[in-house]
Amino acid sequence: MCYKIFIEKIVIIIFQIQELYEFFHNLDLKKWGTITLIIIGKMLLFTIFLIILEFIFNRGVRFIGRRIVSSTHFVWDNILYENKVFDSLAHFFPLSIGLILIEPFFNGYHTIIIYLEKIFDILFVLIVLQFLIRVVNSIMRIATSENNHQTIAVRSFSQLLKIISIIFCILVIIAILTKNDLITVLTSLGAITAFVILVFRDTILGFVSGVQMASTKMIKVGDWIRIPKYNIEGTVTEINLTSAKIENFDKTITSVPTYDLISTAVTNFEFMRQKNIRRIKRSILFNIQSFHFCNSDKLKKYQDVYLINNYIQKKQKEIDLFNREKNIDISVNINGRRLTNIGLFRQYALEYLSQHPKISQSETLMVRHLEPTPYGLPVELYCFTNTSESIKYEQIQASVFDHLLTAAKEFDLEITQVTKTKQEILKEW
C-alpha cells in the first residue's frame, strides 16, 4: 500500500516538471529579453532628456529671475528669489513637455504609458505643493518683517495653509493612485473625521488663538510677559501655530502651547515698557513698639530736616489751633492731637519720592500703612520710576530703600528683622 502511494507522488511530480518545461519551451526568452532591453533603453533616454530639459529651463528661469530682481528696488521679489519660488516654476516646463512626449516615445507599450502618466501626475502635484509652500514662506517673511499683532495672524494662517495644502495634495495623490475622483476620496474620509480632529486638536486651537491674539492685540513677538501658571517671565521670541517660545531672563527658552496665551492668566508688561515707567511696590516693616509721640525737643530736631520742615510748621499750627479750641490739656501725652515719629517718617518718605529725579511725578505716588501683622506695621511705598529698563529700575529702587532704611533710624524707628533658628534655615535649604 505504501509502495503504491509513493509511485503516485512520483508521477505527479513528473507531470508538474513537464508542465513547467512546456511553459518555458513555449516562452520566447529571446523576444522578451529584447523587449525588456528596449524598454530600459527608452526609459534611460527619456530620463536623460528630461534631466537636460530641467537643467536648461532651471538655468534660464534663474537667469531671468536674477535679472528682474536686480533691476527692481522692491524687497518682496528678493525674498521670492531667495526662497526659490522661480525654481519651482521652472519644473513645470520640462514636466509638461515630458507628459506630451510619453505617448509618442512609448508607442505600443500601453501599460508603461499608463504608469508613466500616473507618475507625472503625482510629480505635478508635488511641484504644485512645493510652489505653494515656497510662496507661503515668502509671504510670511514679507509680512512678518516687523513684530506686530498682524504677525501672529499671518504666521498662524501661513502654517495652517501649508498643512491644508499638504493634506489636499495627499488626497489628490490617493485619488490618482486609486483611479477615483477627489469627491469619492473625501467621502471615504468622513469616517475618520473624528480621528483627524483629535490629531490636529492643538493645531486648530493654535490657529484660533493666533487669530484671537491678532484681533484683540493681546500679545505679539517682542512683548515682555509673565505666565504665573508656569512661573515664566521673559520676552516672546516666536508665536507659531502650535507653540510660543519665550526667552527667560536667564537666557533659557521655554515653549508653551499657543492656546495657553489666551486660556490662562498672562501679564503683559509691554504697555509699561512703551510708557517707559515701572512700578515700585515694596514695604518696610516697622516695630510698633518704637512708635511714639514727638515732644517739642524732637520737633525742633526734625524741623532742621529740609524735606519736612514746612510740613511740621504747617501741621503744628493746625494741631495747636485745634487743641486750643477744644481746650485740651496737652500735659498728658494722649490728650489732643500730636505728631508721631512714624507719621513724620511717612511724610518724609513721600516728600523724598516727590523730589526724587528718577521717580515719575505724573503717575500714582503714595506712602501708606498696610494692615498690621504679628511682626509689625508695614509701610508701603507705591510709585513709578521714569524708566522701564531693568538694570536702571533696580538701581533706583535700591537707592530709594537704602536711603529710607537708614533715615528711619533718625526718627527713632526700629525696623523689624525676623530672626530664624538654625533648624528653620536648614529646613529652607
Side-chain angles (χ1 to χ4, degrees):
M1 187 72 179
C2 294
Y3 176 76
K4 198 173 185 180
I5 294 171
F6 178 73
I7 294 296
E8 286 178 357
K9 286 185 177 180
I10 290 175
V11 171
I12 290 170
I13 292 171
I14 291 171
F15 274 112
Q16 289 176 347
I17 293 171
Q18 186 177 0
E19 287 175 0
L20 287 172
Y21 172 77
E22 288 177 357
F23 172 77
F24 284 108
H25 181 73
N26 295 329
L27 183 65
D28 192 348
L29 293 175
K30 186 176 180 181
K31 179 182 176 183
W32 278 101
T34 304
I35 293 171
T36 304
L37 288 174
I38 291 171
I39 293 172
I40 292 172
K42 285 191 172 187
M43 292 288 289
L44 286 173
L45 287 173
F46 190 67
T47 304
I48 293 169
F49 175 71
L50 287 179
I51 291 171
I52 293 170
L53 279 179
E54 169 70 19
F55 178 79
I56 293 170
F57 277 104
N58 195 20
R59 287 299 180 92
V61 170
R62 277 192 179 184
F63 176 76
I64 295 170
R66 189 163 53 248
R67 293 293 297 271
I68 294 172
V69 168
S70 60
S71 62
T72 62
H73 301 287
F74 301 112
V75 177
W76 58 267
D77 55 356
N78 293 325
I79 294 175
L80 289 175
Y81 183 78
E82 290 171 5
N83 285 345
K84 298 182 179 181
V85 174
F86 302 119
D87 292 6
S88 297
L89 288 174
H91 297 320
F92 284 104
F93 300 106
L95 277 181
S96 301
I97 295 171
L99 185 61
I100 295 170
L101 295 177
I102 286 175
E103 194 163 346
F105 206 86
F106 294 95
N107 189 20
Y109 302 100
H110 182 67
T111 305
I112 293 175
I113 291 172
I114 292 173
Y115 283 111
L116 283 177
E117 285 179 346
K118 282 188 177 182
I119 291 171
F120 270 75
D121 289 340
I122 293 171
L123 287 175
F124 269 114
V125 173
L126 293 176
I127 290 170
V128 169
L129 177 62
Q130 183 192 60
F131 174 75
L132 286 174
I133 290 175
R134 287 179 176 178
V135 169
V136 169
N137 288 337
S138 302
I139 293 171
M140 188 167 64
R141 273 189 63 186
I142 295 167
T144 59
S145 56
E146 295 182 3
N147 289 331
N148 50 42
H149 296 284
Q150 285 74 24
T151 298
I152 304 170
V154 171
R155 196 184 298 275
S156 299
F157 182 76
S158 300
Q159 291 180 337
L160 183 65
L161 186 60
K162 284 193 282 188
I163 291 173
I164 293 173
S165 301
I166 292 170
I167 294 173
F168 181 76
C169 289
I170 291 172
L171 294 177
V172 172
I173 291 172
I174 293 172
I176 292 170
L177 292 174
T178 57
K179 298 181 181 179
N180 293 317
D181 54 34
L182 190 59
I183 296 175
T184 305
V185 175
L186 289 171
T187 305
S188 63
L189 290 175
I192 61 170
T193 302
F195 175 75
V196 172
I197 292 174
L198 183 64
V199 170
F200 292 100
R201 174 182 174 274
D202 292 337
T203 303
I204 296 168
L205 289 175
F207 174 70
V208 174
S209 303
V211 172
Q212 278 188 282
M213 282 187 286
S215 59
T216 58
K217 299 182 178 181
M218 293 169 55
I219 301 170
K220 69 178 186 301
V221 174
D223 282 4
W224 169 17
I225 66 170
R226 179 193 295 151
I227 307 177
K229 177 182 177 181
Y230 300 111
N231 194 23
I232 296 171
E233 184 173 350
T235 304
V236 180
T237 58
E238 182 182 340
I239 300 176
N240 54 43
L241 193 59
T242 56
S243 65
K245 292 182 180 180
I246 300 169
E247 182 181 336
N248 303 306
F249 293 127
D250 59 358
K251 298 304 176 183
T252 58
I253 300 293
T254 303
S255 295
V256 297
T258 305
Y259 182 67
D260 277 354
L261 296 180
I262 64 168
S263 63
T264 60
V266 178
T267 304
N268 194 334
F269 299 97
E270 190 58 26
F271 183 70
M272 177 193 73
R273 182 188 288 176
Q274 289 174 1
K275 292 190 70 175
N276 199 31
I277 58 173
R278 190 170 174 182
R279 186 182 68 176
I280 294 176
K281 187 176 182 289
R282 186 176 290 184
S283 59
I284 301 173
L285 195 62
F286 289 103
N287 185 352
I288 300 176
Q289 299 295 330
S290 63
F291 297 172
H292 57 74
F293 295 114
C294 295
N295 55 31
S296 57
D297 293 335
K298 289 286 184 181
L299 289 177
K300 188 176 181 181
K301 173 188 173 183
Y302 296 143
Q303 281 179 349
D304 295 332
V305 179
Y306 167 71
L307 291 177
I308 55 174
N309 182 19
N310 294 332
Y311 172 80
I312 291 175
Q313 292 178 3
K314 179 182 175 182
K315 204 69 178 175
Q316 192 59 43
K317 287 180 182 179
E318 179 185 325
I319 291 172
D320 290 342
L321 179 62
F322 175 84
N323 290 336
R324 280 198 302 270
E325 288 179 353
K326 299 295 182 180
N327 196 22
I328 296 173
D329 181 11
I330 59 174
S331 61
V332 180
N333 284 340
I334 201 172
N335 285 344
R337 293 173 57 188
R338 293 178 184 271
L339 290 172
T340 61
N341 61 340
I342 184 64
L344 290 177
F345 174 80
R346 184 164 48 82
Q347 184 62 31
Y348 174 84
L350 183 62
E351 294 293 336
Y352 179 78
L353 294 175
S354 300
Q355 298 188 27
H356 198 292
K358 301 296 184 181
I359 300 297
S360 174
Q361 305 303 314
S362 59
E363 303 297 329
T364 304
L365 193 157
M366 61 180 173
V367 179
R368 60 176 181 171
H369 289 175
L370 299 181
E371 185 178 353
T373 70
Y375 302 104
L377 176 70
V379 175
E380 183 183 75
L381 276 65
Y382 191 101
C383 58
F384 291 82
T385 62
N386 57 11
T387 179
S388 60
E389 189 178 332
S390 295
I391 295 176
K392 292 181 179 179
Y393 165 79
E394 293 295 342
Q395 290 174 344
I396 295 167
Q397 182 173 244
S399 173
V400 168
F401 278 88
D402 286 348
H403 180 84
L404 294 179
L405 288 169
T406 307
K409 296 178 183 178
E410 300 298 324
F411 292 87
D412 299 325
L413 290 169
E414 181 184 338
I415 297 172
T416 304
Q417 184 172 337
V418 180
T419 57
K420 296 182 180 180
T421 63
K422 188 176 180 181
Q423 288 77 11
E424 289 175 332
I425 295 172
L426 290 173
K427 189 182 291 185
E428 288 183 0
W429 281 94

